[in-house]
Amino acid sequence: MVEPSPSARCWGRGAMAGAGREREEAADYSDISDSEFLDLEEPGDSEQLSSSQNLPGTSTGNPGQETGPPGGPERKRGADVQTPLERLRLRYLWVTDLTSQSWCERQMVFSKELPGLQAPEKAAVMDLGASLHLARELEVHDIMTVPTATAEDSWAIKLLNILTMIPVLQSGGRIREFPVFGEVEGVFLVGVIDELHYTPKGELELTELKTRSRPQLPLAAQKDKDRFQVRLYKYLFDAMVRGQVTPDSLIRHVQLRPEQPLSPQVQDVARKSGFAAAAATLGELAELAFLRLTLSDLPRIDRLQLEYSHQESGAALGAELVAFEERRVRARARDCVAYWKGQREPRGVDVEEAWKCRTCDYAEVCDWRRRGGAVGQEHKAKKPK
């Protein structure tokens, strides 16, 4: 796969009974590692191209965010007020942006607007989880560094990785770090599937690895977030192979320049991968990639599986098959996107999950919590009559 190099990549993010287990769960939230967390930077000096004997792959990052002025999650919406997407200058969202809303929407907002408040130890744990994902990726292909200078170069690498992965899947092979993207409820969504492979029964299975700092499975609140993530991946992948995602949609949402010549370094990668004829511009490469996807006869994803493992020992903690119902996935995505469109204010956690606030990096600046929000309601709920 093609992945951003250290100079262009930000490494990843990521109950016992009663309050004790819940407190551990809140602390453990930050060590959840996704493939997406390998891909959080705009194109910089270089990208990494990973390849095996027959597979150069890609997972380049391009979150489409330009730095904007911070605004508190309490900011009121109005005709003259920008939506969160506009205020943060986001051209698109990551799947993990939506799934993080499932944990605590206000925490997700603060992480965008006040990223400097994150505890250093949490960032270190995220790095460890991301490194384990990278190790799994290297089992399938090597990584090469490809210099990039523009968003068009970065997305070209992503498209080249898709093009090289299609025949591997067609031949029944295993791939990792497959980029997915598409329009969901009017917002462009981007993600990275951890692994795709076929089961002995011939079913196409998506497997998502989650690593944990403690040798125990997560509670229901975390599992719910993880399930939503793999469901969104399937939704995007299925739309791509059905031809429902178009080059025009990608170019329009991400604000790419289809006629922008690709760098000589990227064109050289395309030539070595067998796609030199379509690699002069991003527009040409996008047309080829989407055409190959549509004509590939790749099936929709049949099975969704979550795997949990212990970061320190690598021991498997358990696996779970996840059911999929498109109507419910779309309804949940619609509710998440409503915040980004400025149609509603961000929500805090429910009373039953107020324990999440105890280890939140943003607890001291959270207006909702200071007004009595989760913590106050939790206290009232436990107060004897």
Side-chain angles (χ1 to χ4, degrees), residues 122-175:
K122 289 189 177 181
V125 173
M126 294 177 194
D127 288 351
L128 176 58
S131 67
L132 294 176
H133 272 277
L134 181 60
R136 281 169 61 102
E137 183 183 353
L138 290 171
E139 295 173 0
V140 176
H141 50 244
D142 297 326
I143 295 179
M144 299 180 294
T145 299
V146 181
T148 59
T150 66
E152 286 76 18
D153 283 352
S154 182
W155 276 87
I157 294 295
K158 194 183 296 287
L159 294 170
L160 283 169
N161 282 333
I162 290 175
L163 283 166
T164 56
M165 290 182 188
I166 289 173
V168 177
L169 265 187
Q170 286 178 313
S171 63
R174 179 186 305 266
I175 62 173

Side-chain angles (χ1 to χ4, degrees), residues 175-242:
I175 62 173
R176 289 190 173 128
E177 310 301 309
F178 186 90
V180 288
F181 40 82
E183 190 171 324
V184 177
E185 303 302 323
V187 172
F188 205 71
L189 204 59
V190 178
V192 185
I193 292 175
D194 191 9
E195 180 177 308
L196 288 169
H197 61 264
Y198 290 94
T199 69
K201 295 182 178 180
E203 302 167 303
L204 183 58
E205 180 175 89
L206 180 158
T207 298
E208 177 69 20
L209 172 67
K210 297 295 183 183
T211 65
R212 296 181 60 78
S213 62
R214 295 175 179 81
Q216 56 193 14
L217 288 171
L219 290 179
Q222 185 56 62
K223 286 186 176 181
D224 177 68
K225 174 182 179 293
D226 298 341
R227 292 167 186 149
F228 185 36
Q229 181 179 346
V230 295
R231 287 164 178 157
L232 282 173
Y233 285 159
K234 169 177 165 57
Y235 182 83
L236 291 171
F237 179 89
D238 289 355
M240 290 174 71
V241 299
R242 286 185 301 206

Side-chain angles (χ1 to χ4, degrees), residues 241-254:
V241 299
R242 286 185 301 206
Q244 296 175 345
V245 184
T246 66
D248 288 343
S249 178
L250 168 64
I251 289 166
R252 173 171 52 87
H253 280 282
V254 187

Side-chain angles (χ1 to χ4, degrees), residues 28-44:
D28 210 32
Y29 166 70
S30 63
D31 79 358
I32 297 150
S33 49
D34 309 273
S35 306
E36 289 183 25
F37 298 151
L38 304 176
D39 300 323
L40 296 179
E41 291 295 324
E42 286 285 359

